[in-house]
Amino acid sequence: MPSSNMQSVDDLDVAGKRVILRSDLNVPLDLTGTGEITDDGRIRASLPVISKLADRGARVIILAHLGRPAGADFAERAAGGPSLRPVAARLGELLGKPVAFATDVVGPAAAAVVAGLGDGDVAVLENVRYEPAETSKDDAARSSFAAQLAAFGDLYVGDGFGAVHRKHASVYDLPALLPHAAGDLVRDEVAVLQRLTKEPEGPFVVVLGGKKPSDKLGVISNLLGLADRILICGGMAYTFLAAQGYEVGNSVLEADRIPDVQEVTAEAARRGVELVLPVDLVVAEKFAPDADHKVVPASGIPAGWEGVDAGPETRVLFASKLADAKTVFWNGPAGVFEFPAFAAGTRAVAEAVARVDGLTVVGGGDSAAAVRALGIPESSFGHISTGGGASLEYLEGKTLPGLVALSGNAALPGDAALPGDAALPGDRA
């Protein structure tokens, strides 16, 4: 269960109040074409709390980020970074009513939009990361910006679990300035993650894919005391295969992490945790949807070829390793599922997880997008996370600043010193 120190949004009297809602609306956009949203899963996941607040008469002011805009000031970041305008438009379509949009965050446009809200109205302020102070490592800069944000609201609700691992102004500093509560997404996510980390029912099978092992080695290390099996797939598998001395051709590879992979592999063996790697792979001559491709043994990818999917024997193997599971955590696709020719491995994993009779958690990000893209009903899974990197850091045992802020004095889930913001690594937005 969530920490008793995290007040629920249901405990707040929101009627007629201005509620600043920190949501996670960091959706993928087609930046090579029209800029359209390619997967609105995170918007849909945020709808229940937005609707709950609006239906209870709150004046809802949504803060959210999109991508990692770069620049020295608001103007520079706004010129090159993605805007939340299409997100606000899509949110309005899903809510079935107009959603106001402010072209700045704490400037005159935001002030005018907030002042014009009536009971039950919803507004979205522009990408909060356009403001350099949002992500600053300078406590004073963040605090000053948080005070500007707090002036817009009477209450604060944190419902963006995907951002709670960031020591950012809208996540960490702002809750201290207003009466606050955790939204349902955050509370549900914590409840599920606690089930995964506190005596999960076995067999407990972890499936990890995606591009880089560096993003997930900490998760593997922390779960070695809990998991019965860990299946490694996707781009990160090639570093594991290289660590065994296999040739990986042009496949994605983190050569500098091979010693870490070897250490984790040895520790898994010492603990009796089964670490399962691909036995065959689909490889392609180039990274393209129509590339020539073939199946090869995982023990040797030819020079000039790169791995793009799990092979047919690996799909069967992984399904067999999931068949008796009672608890599953899956994070990361098994191949380039965006290309139909290389989606079979990810589909096989998704379908095997969906058949599990027990707690199944799809770890957000690309895995959740894959489930939707492949047309597998989300109801087939126990929980589809919106957490991304935040969920991974929780599973590593790290302290998450956003949960600390919402929990009063509870440093969930670990006891480590509260970190400053990391350099927004990899795919952990």
Side-chain angles (χ1 to χ4, degrees), residues 168-183:
H168 289 177
S170 67
V171 175
Y172 177 70
D173 302 272
L174 182 54
L177 303 178
L178 295 170
H180 55 267

Side-chain angles (χ1 to χ4, degrees), residues 135-178:
T135 58
S136 176
K137 294 181 181 179
D138 184 319
D139 291 347
R142 285 198 326 276
S143 295
S144 176
F145 176 54
Q148 290 179 279
L149 292 170
F152 286 150
D154 303 303
L155 303 168
Y156 174 92
V157 173
D159 200 41
F161 191 89
V164 296
H165 59 321
R166 303 297 185 199
K167 193 179 179 184
H168 289 177
S170 67
V171 175
Y172 177 70
D173 302 272
L174 182 54
L177 303 178
L178 295 170

Side-chain angles (χ1 to χ4, degrees), residues 275-300:
L275 197 65
V276 184
L277 301 181
V279 293
D280 65 343
L281 298 159
V282 178
V283 297
E285 283 193 304
K286 60 181 179 179
F287 188 81
D290 58 349
D292 287 339
H293 55 279
K294 61 184 179 180
V295 176
V296 301
S299 56

Side-chain angles (χ1 to χ4, degrees), residues 210-217 235-240 242-243 248 251-261 426:
K211 186 177 291 185
K212 298 182 298 183
S214 57
D215 287 341
K216 289 162 186 169
L217 284 172
M236 65 183 291
Y238 307 115
T239 302
F240 276 80
V248 296
S251 305
V252 61
L253 174 67
E254 285 191 311
D256 61 323
R257 303 312 294 266
I258 286 177
D260 300 321
V261 166

Side-chain angles (χ1 to χ4, degrees), residues 80-139:
S83 170
L84 280 172
R85 186 183 291 277
V87 174
R90 180 58 178 153
L91 180 59
E93 292 173 359
L94 294 171
L95 288 173
K97 66 179 184 180
V99 169
F101 178 71
T103 55
D104 57 27
V105 183
V106 289
V113 164
V114 170
L117 291 177
D119 295 355
D121 287 346
V122 178
V124 174
L125 307 188
E126 185 53 285
N127 189 342
V128 71
R129 286 189 183 169
Y130 281 178
E131 293 283 352
E134 163 70 1
T135 58
S136 176
K137 294 181 181 179
D138 184 319
D139 291 347

Side-chain angles (χ1 to χ4, degrees), residues 197 200 204 219-228 230 267 271 273:
T197 55
F204 178 17
V219 176
I220 296 173
S221 295
N222 206 47
L223 293 182
L224 284 178
L226 294 166
D228 296 288
I230 299 177
E267 181 63 21
R271 289 173 173 255
V273 177

